[in-house]
């Protein structure tokens, strides 16, 4: 993200020397580079329709989002526990190492709203750090090392999500999952703003490590009131659209 343009220029020059007829795709999401030298530029910014890239062609907007292959074929959800009927399943998926402990703080907020009301489906690599908080719920599930088809299945199972505003939000929107977004690092801020204005999802700005529990609870109530229906242009065909354009350029 912060690599100097000169480094990209050198890389492109080396590639052209090795393969003069090859096509080079550049992926960008901040619009601070010209992307000069690339044959094709991909920017999946939400609602983006125009950009000033100096490239042959640009693919713009969330319809080109590169979802993982499993989202086109979610695992069978028939074996997901039926004993949890009556509780609202909530996907809590912050991602990364979660250095600010947002996962546990989200769980605490849900527990305050009613530990019998919600069923947390927590995707985390550090479940031991939140054992006491999870014990407040009647039931819960902690998951790790999931493949994309598994993530897709759980997104289909859950009623709402509380997720970070990284690539997960494209996956959630592809599955039609209403969510509360947490903008946890600076490079998510612009995307989070579009999530709020274009998709109508509540977003909390947590870039400095803060998380307002009342704002979280308000956001949860907001998305619970939404019907589950498509709210974006994200689907499972984004990668196919990109490769189709590459094939055209390759002749």
């Amino acid at each position: 993200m912060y690599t100097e343009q000169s480094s990209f220029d050198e890389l492109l020059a080396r590639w052209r020397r090795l393969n003069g007829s090859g096509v080079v795709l550049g992926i960008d999401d901040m619009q601070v580079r010209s992307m000069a030298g690339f044959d094709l530029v991909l920017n999946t910014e939400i609602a983006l329709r125009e950009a000033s890239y100096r490239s042959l062609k640009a693919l713009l907007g969330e319809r080109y989002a590169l979802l993982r292959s499993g989202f086109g074929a979610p695992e069978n959800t028939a074996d997901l526990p039926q004993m949890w009927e009556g509780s609202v399943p909530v996907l809590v998926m912050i991602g990364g190492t979660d250095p600010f402990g947002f996962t546990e703080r989200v769980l605490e907020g849900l527990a305050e709203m009613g530990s019998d009301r919600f069923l947390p489906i927590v995707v985390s690599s550090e479940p031991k750090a939140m054992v006491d908080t999870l014990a407040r719920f009647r039931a819960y599930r902690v998951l790790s090392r999931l493949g994309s088809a598994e993530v897709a299945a759980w997104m289909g199972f859950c009623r709402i999500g509380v997720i970070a505003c990284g690539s997960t939000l494209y996956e959630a929107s592809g599955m039609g999952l209403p969510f509360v977004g947490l903008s946890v690092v600076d490079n998510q801020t612009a995307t989070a703003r579009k999530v709020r204005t274009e998709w109508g999802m509540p977003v909390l700005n947590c870039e400095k490590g803060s998380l307002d529990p009342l704002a979280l609870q308000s956001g949860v109530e907001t998305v619970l009131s939404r019907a589950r229906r498509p709210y974006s242009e994200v689907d499972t065909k984004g990668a196919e659209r990109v490769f189709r354009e590459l094939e055209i350029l390759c002749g």
Side-chain angles (χ1 to χ4, degrees):
M1 182 170 63
Y2 300 111
T3 302
E4 295 292 333
Q5 182 62 43
S6 59
S7 297
F8 283 106
D9 293 341
E10 181 182 352
L11 179 63
L12 285 165
R14 289 170 58 192
W15 173 257
R16 300 295 186 193
R17 288 194 296 269
L18 292 170
N19 188 351
S21 62
V23 172
V24 184
L25 166 67
I27 300 177
D28 178 55
D29 63 357
M30 298 182 72
Q31 289 197 71
V32 297
R33 299 183 185 280
S34 69
M35 302 302 286
F38 290 95
D39 301 299
L40 186 65
V41 175
L42 171 64
N43 186 327
T44 60
E45 178 184 332
I46 297 167
L48 183 64
R49 298 293 179 268
E50 296 182 358
S52 56
Y53 294 123
R54 291 161 47 196
S55 62
L56 179 63
K57 187 170 185 178
L59 307 179
L60 308 176
E62 67 263 37
R63 68 190 302 266
Y64 293 103
L66 304 176
L67 298 193
R68 294 176 289 171
S69 60
F71 284 85
E75 287 197 345
N76 186 358
T77 60
D79 61 344
L80 294 179
Q82 299 303 309
M83 68 182 71
W84 294 336
E85 291 183 358
S87 297
V88 177
V90 181
L91 180 72
V92 181
M93 188 172 177
I94 307 304
T97 59
D98 191 13
F100 294 114
F102 287 125
T103 301
E104 184 165 11
R105 284 191 274 172
V106 167
L107 292 172
E108 290 171 351
L110 293 174
E112 290 298 321
M113 296 177 72
S115 56
D116 289 337
R117 183 183 179 189
F118 296 103
L119 163 67
I121 306 297
V122 183
V123 180
S124 174
S125 60
E126 298 292 339
K128 294 181 180 178
M130 58 194 80
V131 170
D132 292 341
T133 304
L134 286 167
R136 299 174 63 181
F137 295 90
R138 178 167 58 88
Y140 61 87
R141 190 71 166 266
V142 178
L143 308 167
S144 61
R145 299 180 181 179
L146 298 183
S148 56
E150 295 172 292
V151 174
W154 285 107
M155 284 185 171
F157 172 73
C158 288
R159 173 68 182 81
I160 64 172
V162 181
I163 63 176
C165 291
S167 59
T168 301
L169 65 84
Y170 288 97
E171 297 172 347
S173 64
M175 298 300 296
L177 178 70
F179 63 86
V180 178
L182 305 186
S183 180
V184 299
V185 290
D186 290 344
N187 68 326
Q188 295 178 355
T189 304
T191 299
R193 190 179 304 115
K194 287 293 188 72
V195 168
R196 184 186 294 113
T197 59
E198 300 294 333
W199 293 356
M201 298 298 168
V203 175
L204 308 183
N205 292 100
C206 308
E207 293 89 345
K208 296 182 180 180
S210 61
L211 175 61
D212 182 344
L214 294 180
L216 170 67
Q217 292 167 8
S218 175
V220 169
E221 295 291 1
T222 296
V223 292
L224 280 173
S225 68
R226 293 180 63 119
R228 183 157 183 157
R229 60 176 180 266
Y231 52 82
S232 79
E233 294 186 10
V234 179
D235 57 21
T236 61
K237 307 295 184 182
E240 292 182 23
R241 296 185 183 100
V242 173
F243 276 102
R244 193 177 304 129
E245 296 293 340
L246 285 170
E247 289 175 350
I248 293 172
L249 286 179
C250 289

